[in-house]
Amino acid sequence: MSVRNDPLAFLSAEVEQLREQGLFRHLRVLEGEQRAATTFDHRQVVNLSSNNYLGLTTHPRLRERALDAVRRFGVGTGSVRTIAGTMSLHVELEERLAAFKQTEAVVVFQSGFTANAGTVSSILSKDDIVVSDELNHASIIDGCRLSRAAIHVFPHKDVERARAILRGLPVGGRTLLITDGVFSMDGDLGPLPELCALAEEFGCIMMVDDAHASGVFGRNGRGTIDHHDVHGRVDIQVGTLSKAIGVLGGYVAGSRALIDFLHHRARPFLFSTSHPPAVAAACVAAIEVLLDEPEIIERLWDNTRFFKAGLKAAGFDTGASESPITPVIAGDGARAMQLSDGLFAEGVFAQGIGFPTVARDRARVRTIVTATHTRDELQFALDAFSRVGRRLGLI
Ligand SMILES: Cc1ncc(COP(=O)(O)O)c(C=O)c1O
C-alpha cells in the first residue's frame, strides 16, 4: 500500500502560523438562546457580539408564528423557488417587505450574502463597471468579482474620489455605484445623499446594502434610504432578515422589472432551496413587530447612546461609529484578541476582529448593544472594558 502525502498539508501550515501569531480563534459555542446575557463556552456573559439588535430572535410573536408554520406547512420546502419551492408564505413575506420598503417589489434570498452576491453578479457582465467603497461587505466584493465587471474602488466614503473615477470612465457604459448603508465593522453610515446625486449626474445604477440598517435606522426601521430620505433615488436596496429581524435571509427591494429579472438570472435564487416555512413566517411576524412596537427601536438607541458615551468617557478609540455597532480599536490583531479574551474572562463577550475582515493595523473588538440589554448589564460591560483596557495599556 502506498503512503499518500497529505495534499492539504499547506492548510495545516497556515493554521499553525495563525496559532503562532496569536490569531487562531476557536468558535465560541452558545449554549442557550441568543440573548443579551447568555452562556457561551460554559460561561455566563453579557453578550455584545450578536446582530440581534432588537432581541427578536426570542420574541414570543416570532416564535409562535414559526411553530404555527411548522405545524401547518412542515419543516422544509423541498425545492428551489423557481421549481416547486415558492410557498404562499414567501409571497406574503415579499409583499409585506415591498410595502415596508416602499418599493414596487421584493425578492427574498437565502441570506444577505447571497442577495448581494447574486444580484451584483447577475445584473453586471464583463463589459460593465462597478464603483465601490473600499469597506463594502465581502458579499458585494464577491458579487463584483463573479460578474467579471471592471472594479474601481474608492477610499472609504470619499465622494470626491468616486466622482473622479466616474469622470474618467468612458461615456455610455453601464456603471453600478455601490455602498453599504451602515458599514459593518465601523458602524458609520454611507453618504447616501451625495452618492445618489453622483449616480444621477453620471447615470449610474445606485445600489445600497442596508444589512445593518434594517430595523435600526429610519421610520420603524425602514433603513438608511428612509433615514436619509432618498426614497426613489436608490435603484437596488438589499436588506437582511438575519440581523435586526432576528431570523435568516436577505432581500432585494426595487422595481418590478429588477425583481422579475432576478427571478430568472440570480444564481442563488435559481440554484439553492428556498427558506423553510418557519423562517418566512417568523420574518412576517418581525415586520409586524417593527410596525406595532417601535418602542423597541427607541430602547436600542437609548442603550446605544449610553454605551458609546461610557466607552468614550473611559478613553477608548471608538472610531467614527454612528450606529449601535461600536468598534474598540486595539491596533494589531494579537492585541485585539487579548482584549477580547480578557473581557471574556471578566464575563463579557465582545468578539475580536482582525485581518482580513479589517485592515491589519485596525484590529478591534466590535461591540453591538441591543434593545434588550439592561443598564446594569451595560455598566457591567463598561467596567470590564475599563479594567482590561487599562491592563493592556489601551486607555
Ligand atoms: C454589510 C453586510 N452585508 C451583508 C451581510 C450578509 O448578511 P447575512 O448574514 O444575512 O448573509 C452582512 C453580514 O455579515 C453584512 O454585515
Side-chain angles (χ1 to χ4, degrees), residues 219-233:
R219 288 165 305 140
N220 300 81
R222 283 179 170 80
T224 56
I225 282 82
D226 195 76
H227 171 79
H228 294 290
D229 196 11
V230 289
H231 286 287
R233 301 174 70 191

Side-chain angles (χ1 to χ4, degrees), residues 111-114 116 137 139 180 182 184 209 211-212 240-243 249-250:
S111 68
F113 197 107
T114 55
N116 270 329
H137 190 256
S139 52
D180 279 359
V182 175
S184 57
D209 169 13
H212 283 276
T240 167
L241 302 163
S242 333
K243 302 187 194 299

Side-chain angles (χ1 to χ4, degrees), residues 161-241:
R161 292 287 291 281
R163 175 190 295 279
I165 292 170
L166 288 167
R167 262 211 208 100
L169 296 177
V171 181
R174 185 176 298 133
T175 303
L176 174 72
L177 181 59
I178 185 162
T179 183
D180 279 359
V182 175
F183 289 88
S184 57
M185 293 301 140
D186 291 86
D188 52 349
L189 301 189
L192 296 201
E194 294 83 355
L195 290 178
C196 285
L198 262 195
E200 285 152 8
E201 185 182 339
F202 290 90
C204 307
I205 305 162
M206 182 70 210
M207 177 165 168
V208 176
D209 169 13
D210 238 0
H212 283 276
S214 307
V216 177
F217 282 91
R219 288 165 305 140
N220 300 81
R222 283 179 170 80
T224 56
I225 282 82
D226 195 76
H227 171 79
H228 294 290
D229 196 11
V230 289
H231 286 287
R233 301 174 70 191
V234 175
D235 304 293
I236 307 175
Q237 298 181 42
V238 167
T240 167
L241 302 163

Side-chain angles (χ1 to χ4, degrees), residues 241-262:
L241 302 163
S242 333
K243 302 187 194 299
I245 300 302
V247 195
L248 173 71
Y251 57 91
V252 179
S255 68
R256 184 74 254 170
L258 168 70
I259 304 311
D260 286 344
F261 174 85
L262 294 174

Side-chain angles (χ1 to χ4, degrees), residues 101-144:
K101 287 282 176 171
Q102 299 177 213
T103 60
E104 273 178 20
V106 158
V107 56
V108 168
F109 285 75
Q110 297 83 356
S111 68
F113 197 107
T114 55
N116 270 329
T119 299
V120 175
S121 60
S122 62
I123 63 167
L124 298 181
S125 64
K126 66 175 176 35
D127 301 322
D128 301 327
I129 291 163
V130 52
V131 179
S132 174
D133 188 291
E134 66 176 335
L135 294 189
N136 278 344
H137 190 256
S139 52
I140 293 176
I141 297 169
D142 286 7
C144 294

